[in-house]
Amino acid sequence: MIFTVAIDGPAAAGKGTISRAVAAQFGFAHLDTGLLYRAVGAKGGDPVRAAQTLSDADLARDDLRTLAAGQAASRVATIPEVRAALVAFQRAFARREGGAVLDGRDIGTVICPEAEVKLYVTASAQVRAHRRWLEVGGDEAQVLAEVIERDKRDAERAVSPLKPAPDALVLDTSEMTVEEAVDAARAVIAARIEGRS
Ligand code: CDP
């Protein structure tokens, strides 16, 4: 079965948690596409060359989740050649046999516009910053400033800007528990699978 779940949205909206949970529930493969951009940013040197030569070892670094890596990712993510170098891998992953969940910023709009399910997961900037702060610690006001700066850069860039696909279901998780958000996503996916059979 070819079945793609595209989960897009701003920083720290809960895309990763929802993606991992539904991938496990439906037995789909999961790709966190943000990790690709984080690895390119962390590699240093020429970002285009870094994207073209990205290896498993680059993706296995243990410093990719820091605020600094997030900022570096959103900077290299504005470069068209960097994005282009990562398209084929993501597309092949999306349409692999057995089903796939991809989370990122442009999955439903650019990488896989034909995705069977598209979700745009969001929450208020304050809620998202608080969630990220619980993960990384430090100064919460600083975390909020970073989240807002990154969202602005992601939404305003010329190539593949962050925006909901016209046919995406918007899931605002500001007032939802993790379980509620996962349940909502699972219901949409189950209904789509049901509709196909
Ligand atoms: O986990 P969080 O939502 O904070 O970030 P991420 O998904 O790991 O993405 C890090 C950065 O990579 C984003 O701020 C984007 O600039 C970029 N990115 C992108 O441009 N396109 C994607 N499909 C995924 C991430």
Side-chain angles (χ1 to χ4, degrees):
M1 174 181 69
I2 307 288
F3 193 99
T4 309
V5 181
I7 303 190
D8 292 305
K15 304 180 297 289
T17 306
I18 294 173
S19 300
R20 279 189 297 278
V22 295
Q25 282 163 4
F26 291 94
F28 293 170
H30 170 228
L31 179 64
D32 170 2
T33 65
L35 211 56
L36 304 175
Y37 294 91
R38 286 172 180 267
V40 170
K43 210 169 168 182
D46 172 21
V48 177
R49 171 123 186 91
Q52 288 165 343
T53 58
L54 210 58
S55 68
D56 287 346
D58 296 327
L59 295 171
R61 290 172 63 134
D62 61 7
D63 59 351
L64 298 181
R65 295 275 162 216
T66 62
L67 293 183
Q71 287 292 351
S74 89
R75 279 189 213 101
V76 298
T78 64
I79 305 169
E81 293 82 2
V82 166
R83 307 199 69 86
L86 302 174
V87 167
F89 175 74
Q90 294 177 84
R91 279 200 63 80
F93 194 97
R95 301 316 266 171
R96 69 199 273 149
E97 186 55 44
V101 182
L102 287 83
D103 70 283
R105 302 290 186 287
D106 62 342
I107 309 305
T109 50
V110 174
I111 298 298
C112 193
E114 71 274 39
E116 281 71 18
V117 173
K118 296 182 189 180
L119 295 175
Y120 187 85
V121 179
T122 187
S124 72
Q126 281 72 18
V127 166
R128 291 186 290 112
H130 186 69
R131 290 178 186 159
R132 185 50 45 95
W133 173 74
L134 291 174
E135 289 170 4
V136 300
D139 173 3
E140 191 168 347
Q142 163 84 17
V143 177
L144 175 61
E146 299 244 2
V147 160
I148 290 172
E149 183 189 340
R150 195 143 63 83
D151 287 351
K152 185 166 155 40
R153 193 183 297 122
D154 288 348
E156 290 181 353
R157 69 182 176 222
V159 273
S160 308
L162 168 68
K163 61 165 187 245
D167 52 347
L169 179 82
V170 177
L171 196 61
D172 187 326
T173 68
S174 301
E175 317 239 306
M176 285 183 178
T177 63
V178 170
E179 291 72 27
E180 286 168 338
V182 170
D183 279 351
R186 180 178 40 208
V188 176
I189 297 166
R192 185 73 171 87
I193 292 175
E194 184 77 9
R196 272 168 42 121
S197 53

